[in-house]
Short mmCIF file of all heavy atoms in Angstrom, two decimals:
data_model
loop_
_atom_site.label_atom_id
_atom_site.label_comp_id
_atom_site.label_asym_id
_atom_site.label_seq_id
_atom_site.Cartn_x
_atom_site.Cartn_y
_atom_site.Cartn_z
N ILE A 7 -9.81 0.66 -3.79
CA ILE A 7 -8.98 1.89 -4.00
C ILE A 7 -9.64 2.89 -5.06
O ILE A 7 -9.66 4.01 -4.89
CB ILE A 7 -7.49 1.52 -4.39
CG1 ILE A 7 -6.81 0.83 -3.35
CG2 ILE A 7 -6.79 2.79 -4.79
CD1 ILE A 7 -5.38 0.26 -3.66
N LEU A 8 -10.16 2.13 -6.12
CA LEU A 8 -10.79 2.95 -7.17
C LEU A 8 -12.03 3.60 -6.68
O LEU A 8 -12.45 4.59 -7.30
CB LEU A 8 -10.89 2.14 -8.38
CG LEU A 8 -9.70 1.67 -9.13
CD1 LEU A 8 -10.04 0.71 -10.23
CD2 LEU A 8 -8.83 2.77 -9.59
N ASP A 9 -12.75 2.91 -5.82
CA ASP A 9 -13.99 3.61 -5.31
C ASP A 9 -13.74 4.45 -4.09
O ASP A 9 -14.70 4.93 -3.42
CB ASP A 9 -15.03 2.51 -5.06
CG ASP A 9 -14.78 1.65 -3.88
OD1 ASP A 9 -13.89 1.93 -3.03
OD2 ASP A 9 -15.48 0.53 -3.81
N THR A 10 -12.54 4.65 -3.69
CA THR A 10 -11.98 5.50 -2.63
C THR A 10 -12.36 5.14 -1.25
O THR A 10 -12.21 5.82 -0.30
CB THR A 10 -12.55 7.05 -2.84
OG1 THR A 10 -13.98 6.99 -2.55
CG2 THR A 10 -12.26 7.48 -4.21
N SER A 11 -12.82 3.89 -1.05
CA SER A 11 -13.14 3.37 0.22
C SER A 11 -11.78 2.92 0.99
O SER A 11 -11.86 2.73 2.20
CB SER A 11 -14.11 2.22 0.21
OG SER A 11 -13.59 1.05 -0.50
N ARG A 12 -10.77 2.69 0.20
CA ARG A 12 -9.54 2.39 0.82
C ARG A 12 -8.38 3.33 0.16
O ARG A 12 -8.51 3.67 -1.00
CB ARG A 12 -9.10 0.98 0.65
CG ARG A 12 -10.05 -0.15 1.10
CD ARG A 12 -10.14 -0.11 2.61
NE ARG A 12 -11.01 -1.18 3.06
CZ ARG A 12 -12.29 -1.04 3.11
NH1 ARG A 12 -12.99 0.06 2.77
NH2 ARG A 12 -13.10 -2.13 3.55
N SER A 13 -7.42 3.65 0.97
CA SER A 13 -6.39 4.52 0.49
C SER A 13 -5.10 3.66 0.05
O SER A 13 -4.19 4.33 -0.51
CB SER A 13 -5.92 5.52 1.57
OG SER A 13 -6.97 6.41 1.81
N GLY A 14 -5.14 2.38 0.24
CA GLY A 14 -4.00 1.56 -0.11
C GLY A 14 -4.35 0.10 0.11
O GLY A 14 -5.41 -0.23 0.68
N ALA A 15 -3.54 -0.78 -0.39
CA ALA A 15 -3.72 -2.21 -0.19
C ALA A 15 -2.42 -2.96 -0.10
O ALA A 15 -1.54 -2.67 -0.93
CB ALA A 15 -4.59 -2.75 -1.32
N LEU A 16 -2.24 -3.75 0.91
CA LEU A 16 -1.04 -4.57 1.03
C LEU A 16 -1.37 -6.02 0.57
O LEU A 16 -2.21 -6.76 1.08
CB LEU A 16 -0.63 -4.61 2.51
CG LEU A 16 0.67 -5.50 2.84
CD1 LEU A 16 1.90 -4.96 2.06
CD2 LEU A 16 0.91 -5.50 4.34
N ILE A 17 -0.56 -6.46 -0.46
CA ILE A 17 -0.68 -7.75 -0.98
C ILE A 17 0.47 -8.60 -0.52
O ILE A 17 1.65 -8.38 -0.92
CB ILE A 17 -0.69 -7.68 -2.57
CG1 ILE A 17 -1.60 -6.54 -3.10
CG2 ILE A 17 -1.10 -8.97 -3.14
CD1 ILE A 17 -3.06 -6.68 -2.71
N VAL A 18 0.14 -9.53 0.37
CA VAL A 18 1.25 -10.41 0.90
C VAL A 18 1.54 -11.56 0.07
O VAL A 18 0.65 -12.16 -0.48
CB VAL A 18 0.81 -10.90 2.31
CG1 VAL A 18 1.82 -11.91 2.87
CG2 VAL A 18 0.54 -9.75 3.22
N ASP A 19 2.81 -11.79 -0.22
CA ASP A 19 3.37 -12.92 -0.97
C ASP A 19 3.70 -14.08 -0.02
O ASP A 19 4.63 -14.02 0.80
CB ASP A 19 4.64 -12.51 -1.75
CG ASP A 19 5.10 -13.65 -2.63
OD1 ASP A 19 4.46 -14.71 -2.63
OD2 ASP A 19 6.14 -13.40 -3.36
N PRO A 20 2.82 -15.17 -0.03
CA PRO A 20 3.08 -16.25 0.90
C PRO A 20 4.34 -17.05 0.60
O PRO A 20 4.85 -17.82 1.46
CB PRO A 20 1.82 -17.10 0.76
CG PRO A 20 1.33 -16.79 -0.57
CD PRO A 20 1.72 -15.42 -0.89
N THR A 21 4.94 -16.96 -0.58
CA THR A 21 6.07 -17.74 -0.97
C THR A 21 7.39 -17.05 -0.98
O THR A 21 8.47 -17.65 -1.25
CB THR A 21 5.84 -18.28 -2.38
OG1 THR A 21 5.77 -17.21 -3.37
CG2 THR A 21 4.52 -19.01 -2.49
N GLY A 22 7.43 -15.70 -0.66
CA GLY A 22 8.66 -14.99 -0.65
C GLY A 22 8.68 -13.98 0.45
O GLY A 22 7.88 -13.93 1.37
N LYS A 23 9.70 -13.06 0.35
CA LYS A 23 10.00 -12.05 1.43
C LYS A 23 9.59 -10.71 0.92
O LYS A 23 9.75 -9.71 1.73
CB LYS A 23 11.42 -12.13 1.84
CG LYS A 23 11.82 -13.29 2.62
CD LYS A 23 11.27 -13.22 4.15
CE LYS A 23 11.83 -14.31 5.00
NZ LYS A 23 11.37 -14.18 6.34
N GLN A 24 9.06 -10.50 -0.26
CA GLN A 24 8.74 -9.19 -0.72
C GLN A 24 7.20 -9.14 -1.04
O GLN A 24 6.74 -9.92 -1.85
CB GLN A 24 9.49 -8.88 -2.00
CG GLN A 24 9.21 -7.41 -2.46
CD GLN A 24 10.08 -6.96 -3.61
OE1 GLN A 24 9.84 -7.58 -4.74
NE2 GLN A 24 10.90 -5.98 -3.44
N ASP A 25 6.59 -8.22 -0.37
CA ASP A 25 5.15 -8.02 -0.62
C ASP A 25 4.96 -6.77 -1.57
O ASP A 25 5.94 -6.12 -1.97
CB ASP A 25 4.39 -7.78 0.70
CG ASP A 25 4.54 -8.96 1.59
OD1 ASP A 25 4.60 -10.09 1.16
OD2 ASP A 25 4.69 -8.76 2.83
N ARG A 26 3.69 -6.49 -1.88
CA ARG A 26 3.37 -5.35 -2.71
C ARG A 26 2.42 -4.44 -2.05
O ARG A 26 1.52 -4.86 -1.34
CB ARG A 26 2.77 -5.77 -4.09
CG ARG A 26 3.85 -6.48 -4.96
CD ARG A 26 3.28 -6.86 -6.34
NE ARG A 26 2.22 -7.84 -6.20
CZ ARG A 26 0.97 -7.69 -6.70
NH1 ARG A 26 0.73 -6.58 -7.41
NH2 ARG A 26 0.14 -8.59 -6.54
N LEU A 27 2.64 -3.15 -2.27
CA LEU A 27 1.67 -2.16 -1.71
C LEU A 27 1.15 -1.35 -2.80
O LEU A 27 1.84 -0.69 -3.60
CB LEU A 27 2.45 -1.25 -0.67
CG LEU A 27 1.63 -0.08 -0.13
CD1 LEU A 27 0.54 -0.60 0.80
CD2 LEU A 27 2.60 0.85 0.70
N LEU A 28 -0.19 -1.34 -2.86
CA LEU A 28 -0.90 -0.49 -3.89
C LEU A 28 -1.32 0.80 -3.14
O LEU A 28 -1.88 0.78 -2.03
CB LEU A 28 -2.13 -1.19 -4.31
CG LEU A 28 -1.93 -2.69 -4.83
CD1 LEU A 28 -3.21 -3.27 -5.28
CD2 LEU A 28 -0.88 -2.77 -5.94
N ILE A 29 -0.91 1.96 -3.88
CA ILE A 29 -1.39 3.19 -3.36
C ILE A 29 -2.06 4.03 -4.43
O ILE A 29 -2.15 3.59 -5.65
CB ILE A 29 -0.15 4.00 -2.79
CG1 ILE A 29 0.90 4.31 -3.94
CG2 ILE A 29 0.55 3.33 -1.61
CD1 ILE A 29 1.98 5.26 -3.58
N ALA A 30 -2.64 5.17 -4.11
CA ALA A 30 -3.31 6.07 -5.11
C ALA A 30 -2.87 7.44 -4.75
O ALA A 30 -3.61 8.18 -3.96
CB ALA A 30 -4.84 5.83 -4.97
N SER A 31 -1.80 8.00 -5.45
CA SER A 31 -1.37 9.31 -5.20
C SER A 31 -2.41 10.34 -5.71
O SER A 31 -2.44 11.51 -5.20
CB SER A 31 -0.03 9.54 -5.89
OG SER A 31 -0.13 9.31 -7.22
N GLY A 32 -3.26 9.94 -6.66
CA GLY A 32 -4.36 10.86 -7.10
C GLY A 32 -5.34 11.19 -5.95
O GLY A 32 -5.92 12.29 -6.04
N GLY A 33 -5.36 10.33 -4.97
CA GLY A 33 -6.27 10.66 -3.86
C GLY A 33 -5.62 11.65 -2.82
O GLY A 33 -6.21 11.89 -1.81
N GLY A 34 -4.29 11.99 -2.94
CA GLY A 34 -3.57 12.79 -2.01
C GLY A 34 -2.20 12.19 -1.84
O GLY A 34 -2.11 11.09 -1.34
N THR A 35 -1.19 13.01 -2.14
CA THR A 35 0.11 12.49 -1.95
C THR A 35 0.56 12.33 -0.56
O THR A 35 1.31 11.39 -0.26
CB THR A 35 1.12 13.44 -2.72
OG1 THR A 35 0.92 14.76 -2.16
CG2 THR A 35 0.85 13.45 -4.20
N SER A 36 0.09 13.08 0.31
CA SER A 36 0.56 13.00 1.81
C SER A 36 -0.09 11.67 2.36
O SER A 36 0.59 11.04 3.09
CB SER A 36 0.02 14.14 2.55
OG SER A 36 -1.39 14.27 2.60
N VAL A 37 -1.27 11.25 2.01
CA VAL A 37 -1.83 10.06 2.46
C VAL A 37 -1.08 8.86 1.83
O VAL A 37 -0.76 7.93 2.58
CB VAL A 37 -3.36 9.99 2.06
CG1 VAL A 37 -3.86 8.52 2.26
CG2 VAL A 37 -4.20 10.87 2.90
N ALA A 38 -0.81 8.89 0.52
CA ALA A 38 -0.07 7.84 -0.13
C ALA A 38 1.30 7.68 0.52
O ALA A 38 1.75 6.52 0.80
CB ALA A 38 0.04 8.09 -1.61
N SER A 39 1.94 8.74 0.83
CA SER A 39 3.42 8.65 1.39
C SER A 39 3.22 8.16 2.82
O SER A 39 4.12 7.44 3.29
CB SER A 39 3.93 10.09 1.48
OG SER A 39 4.15 10.56 0.15
N ALA A 40 2.18 8.52 3.64
CA ALA A 40 2.04 8.10 4.95
C ALA A 40 1.91 6.57 4.95
O ALA A 40 2.37 5.85 5.81
CB ALA A 40 0.88 8.79 5.61
N VAL A 41 0.90 6.09 4.14
CA VAL A 41 0.63 4.68 4.02
C VAL A 41 1.94 3.88 3.75
O VAL A 41 2.28 2.84 4.29
CB VAL A 41 -0.44 4.32 3.02
CG1 VAL A 41 -0.54 2.82 2.79
CG2 VAL A 41 -1.77 4.91 3.54
N GLU A 42 2.61 4.44 2.74
CA GLU A 42 3.93 3.73 2.30
C GLU A 42 4.92 3.73 3.50
O GLU A 42 5.56 2.62 3.65
CB GLU A 42 4.52 4.46 1.13
CG GLU A 42 5.70 3.95 0.50
CD GLU A 42 6.33 4.66 -0.62
OE1 GLU A 42 5.48 5.47 -1.18
OE2 GLU A 42 7.44 4.51 -1.10
N GLN A 43 5.05 4.75 4.17
CA GLN A 43 6.05 4.84 5.24
C GLN A 43 5.58 3.85 6.39
O GLN A 43 6.45 3.17 6.93
CB GLN A 43 6.16 6.31 5.77
CG GLN A 43 7.22 6.43 6.93
CD GLN A 43 7.24 7.91 7.38
OE1 GLN A 43 6.56 8.72 6.90
NE2 GLN A 43 8.14 8.09 8.34
N VAL A 44 4.40 3.89 6.71
CA VAL A 44 3.89 3.02 7.92
C VAL A 44 4.11 1.47 7.43
O VAL A 44 4.61 0.65 8.24
CB VAL A 44 2.47 3.33 8.23
CG1 VAL A 44 1.92 2.27 9.04
CG2 VAL A 44 2.31 4.70 8.82
N VAL A 45 3.71 1.18 6.31
CA VAL A 45 3.83 -0.21 5.81
C VAL A 45 5.26 -0.66 5.67
O VAL A 45 5.63 -1.76 6.16
CB VAL A 45 3.00 -0.44 4.54
CG1 VAL A 45 3.32 -1.87 3.97
CG2 VAL A 45 1.53 -0.32 4.74
N GLN A 46 6.04 0.18 5.17
CA GLN A 46 7.59 -0.13 5.04
C GLN A 46 8.13 -0.44 6.42
O GLN A 46 8.87 -1.30 6.63
CB GLN A 46 8.22 0.94 4.35
CG GLN A 46 8.02 0.96 2.88
CD GLN A 46 8.78 2.10 2.08
OE1 GLN A 46 9.18 3.05 2.71
NE2 GLN A 46 8.94 1.94 0.81
N GLN A 47 7.77 0.45 7.41
CA GLN A 47 8.38 0.26 8.77
C GLN A 47 7.86 -1.13 9.35
O GLN A 47 8.58 -1.91 9.93
CB GLN A 47 7.99 1.39 9.64
CG GLN A 47 8.71 2.65 9.28
CD GLN A 47 8.29 3.82 10.09
OE1 GLN A 47 7.27 3.76 10.85
NE2 GLN A 47 8.91 4.99 10.04
#
């Protein structure tokens, strides 16, 4: 994410039902929002 080769990262928790999504709004808020929406769905 920091080298801009990815716009987000999904970290899956193998022991629970809640995962984590890393985004970078500094790279563009519309991209960050789109990734968040797609992953949440």
